[in-house]
Amino acid sequence: MFAMLGVILTSCSKQKSSSSSQGALSSNAAERVYVAPGEYDEYYGFFSGGFSGQLSVYGLPSGRLFKVIPVFSQDPESAYGYSEESKPMLMTSHGFIPWDDSHHPDISQTEGELDGRWIFINGNNTPRIARIDLQDFSTAEIIEIPNSAGNHSSSFVTENTEYVVAGTRFSVPIPQRDMPIKDYKGNFKGSLSFISVDKTSGNMDLAFQIMMPGFNYDLAHPGRGKSHGWFFFTTYNTEEAHSLLEVNASQNDKDFIAAINWKKAEEYIKAGKGKKQAVKYAHNRHNTETHTATSTIKDEVLILDASELPGLVYLLPTPKSPHGCDVDPSGEYIIGNGKLSANLTVHSFTKMLKAIEDKKFDGESYGIPILKFDDVLAGVVEQPGLGPLHTEFDGKGNAYTTFFISSEVVKWKIGTWKIIDRKPTYYSVGHLMIPGGNSRNPDGKYLVAMNKITKDRYLPVGPDMNHSAQLYDITGDKMELLLDFPTVGEPHYAAAIKADKIMSKSRQIYKLSENKHAYVAKSPNDAKVVRDGKNVHVYMTMIRSHFTPDNIEGIKVGDKVFFHVTNLEQDFDVPHGISMLGANTTELLVSPGKTETFVWEPKEVGVWPFYCTDFCSALHQEMQGYARVSPANSNIGLSWSLDDE
């Protein structure tokens, strides 16, 4: 396959624009992605980190990596998950879990338009949804999802960010209990969680869960425009097999797209039809005033059973083992990409409503009506490629679908279902992304393909290569490959937004006057060292180019020393770091105006240095200090030096 697809890319500098069909940009590829020193990229691109558990920020079209936002995994660069303030963000009902598998980011919306306030992303392994605040590009909140396993069809938002969804991939016994795996069929259940989002603060809450049959729930997208109020989920393993799924879960000619009427769910809840179930899940939230996270264990969830509540869920037959589930900008067309199907199936929302009204059902599954395939079908894209996965839209009436096996992106026309263009990817593409592609108003300038195999694209670095992302110009009739660049982890999905929707709102400092951390020192005069039994609290300040205090004596072997460090700078982009010899943790990297804490438990007597880890001034090397450790039975009292000593 690679011999067939691995054609050498002809130098784009030779591609001359002879007509408008060549695209709006007429110069060579290098110039079209070049962002000169001091100039800005047009888009922020947010790429999931997959098995890194993080979210990476790239500039588009340059492909430059700007930042890795720690979300579900500890990060030694920023001390996320290591500092005492951030450790609660990684708490779950299973305890402290410093890793996850992050898959699908989605940006908040207002009236179907990306608003650039927050971005949400799912943790797949230990089911969680995170909210990242795009004012300071930091993780603001993480909520664990009970009754779920393999939180894959997540985290997609409704067009006014009323809800973020979190759909289980693996069905499990609900509530969890000891039972034979062979009894899977009819006994295991799936759950679809709807997480409400406060319109002002962004704070999340697990509003309700819909209990579903024991299928696998793969991906999801919200309705928009005319279909706002609905959510659509692909399913596979409608056979309810529990072993050798590559064979046993591929028997049925059609699986389903589950159409969820969440407006109806709200009506049922208002009518008191929901049932509360005892559960246990963590809800973690960071406070921007105290700079400290807290973790709270919640103990119940509201359940709606799809098999008992008419009109809540309908099943749309879709060939075969569908993976991607995508809705066009108008909200009329729902595309189901069957991994094992030769064609792309496109359902009509209008026809779906008509079929529901006319009760054109083809039986039911666990009490949920199955609509007749022909009655909801809008059209079929005939034999477009091998292994279809995901579809995005350019806002100009075109759709673009990735094909994993034939390693290509295919462009086709909505309504005529005719193929317009196809371009190879390198290699085995999974998701693709068009800025705003999951909104009413996509920005059809670029397309990014996220590939699973890299092979010969970059200098070799051993048997495992970083995955590649490839940038295409889609302004003309034909797609043009402009750039590829390596990515962090395994990006599954990405979201992009015009830079000017975020830049003007970006935080530059944390105001020291608003710092309400319990151990803040707002000036060098507030610095002190306090003993509380064997706990020692160091109230420390940092500013170019010294720590206060910088010499501490009276610490003893067996003490637990808390360094509460405040960065007094009030200037943009002047963080300071601190690291302590023998501390079993990472450094701290403290932003201007913030307070963060690390713990040091000295085990040996001696004089131990600490220093600034982030180059901050010409006298950066002089930014250091010492802590003296005496024997546990020492009578030496605490003392420290201040600036004027």
Side-chain angles (χ1 to χ4, degrees), residues 444-465:
K445 187 172 185 178
Y446 297 116
L447 178 153
V448 179
M450 284 152 276
N451 307 316
K452 301 301 185 184
I453 297 174
T454 303
K455 282 192 177 289
D456 53 11
R457 302 307 290 174
Y458 313 124
L459 291 172
V461 290
D464 299 312
M465 300 286 288

Side-chain angles (χ1 to χ4, degrees), residues 12-63:
C12 289
S13 63
K14 297 179 181 178
Q15 295 178 3
K16 301 295 183 180
S17 178
S18 58
S19 68
S20 61
S21 66
Q22 292 290 320
L25 301 171
S26 60
S27 56
N28 68 46
E31 290 178 346
R32 289 152 73 174
V33 301
Y34 178 66
V35 179
E39 295 185 0
Y40 298 131
D41 278 278
E42 188 176 358
Y43 299 90
Y44 285 101
F46 299 91
F47 289 65
S48 71
F51 43 66
S52 80
Q54 315 292 37
L55 182 66
S56 302
V57 186
Y58 294 84
L60 298 176
S62 72

Side-chain angles (χ1 to χ4, degrees), residues 177-210:
R177 57 195 182 276
D178 181 19
M179 67 177 297
I181 298 172
K182 66 178 179 60
D183 293 341
Y184 178 115
K185 190 167 186 176
N187 292 306
F188 285 33
K189 300 291 184 184
S191 67
L192 307 178
S193 302
F194 284 72
I195 299 159
S196 61
V197 181
D198 184 271
K199 294 184 183 301
T200 302
S201 67
N203 290 341
M204 302 187 296
D205 189 38
L206 180 53
F208 61 91
Q209 292 184 318
I210 297 177

Side-chain angles (χ1 to χ4, degrees), residues 249-322:
S250 303
Q251 299 300 307
N252 291 342
D253 181 57
K254 294 181 179 68
D255 294 280
F256 301 120
I257 287 178
I260 312 298
N261 187 341
W262 58 262
K263 292 282 190 181
K264 190 73 172 180
E266 292 178 334
E267 292 176 10
Y268 276 129
I269 291 169
K270 190 175 181 179
K273 299 296 184 180
K275 299 175 183 177
K276 290 184 177 179
Q277 179 190 336
V279 292
K280 184 179 179 183
Y281 66 98
H283 190 171
N284 311 328
R285 187 174 290 161
H286 184 267
N287 185 306
T288 56
E289 293 183 334
T290 65
H291 307 163
T292 302
T294 56
S295 180
T296 304
I297 295 295
K298 301 292 187 71
D299 59 9
E300 67 178 21
V301 65
L302 188 66
I303 299 289
L304 298 174
D305 193 326
S307 66
E308 298 175 355
L309 299 173
L312 181 60
V313 181
Y314 296 92
L315 300 176
L316 284 61
T318 307
K320 177 178 184 183
S321 296

Side-chain angles (χ1 to χ4, degrees), residues 159-172:
E159 65 175 25
N160 283 301
T161 321
E162 298 97 335
Y163 296 105
V164 180
V165 301
T168 188
R169 173 182 167 188
F170 310 110
S171 288
V172 292

Side-chain angles (χ1 to χ4, degrees), residues 389-460:
L389 292 182
H390 303 282
T391 301
E392 292 256 312
F393 310 91
D394 63 7
K396 296 176 286 189
N398 303 308
Y400 302 75
T401 301
T402 55
F403 291 83
F404 179 81
I405 296 174
S406 53
S407 285
E408 59 185 333
V409 177
V410 174
K411 177 181 179 180
W412 50 275
K413 191 71 174 177
I414 298 172
T416 69
W417 325 121
K418 300 300 183 184
I419 294 170
I420 299 170
D421 188 29
R422 62 178 71 239
K423 282 291 183 292
T425 61
Y426 306 92
Y427 305 96
S428 299
V429 61
H431 276 279
L432 75 164
M433 178 271 289
I434 293 172
N438 183 28
S439 73
R440 284 196 197 181
N441 188 23
D443 192 337
K445 187 172 185 178
Y446 297 116
L447 178 153
V448 179
M450 284 152 276
N451 307 316
K452 301 301 185 184
I453 297 174
T454 303
K455 282 192 177 289
D456 53 11
R457 302 307 290 174
Y458 313 124
L459 291 172

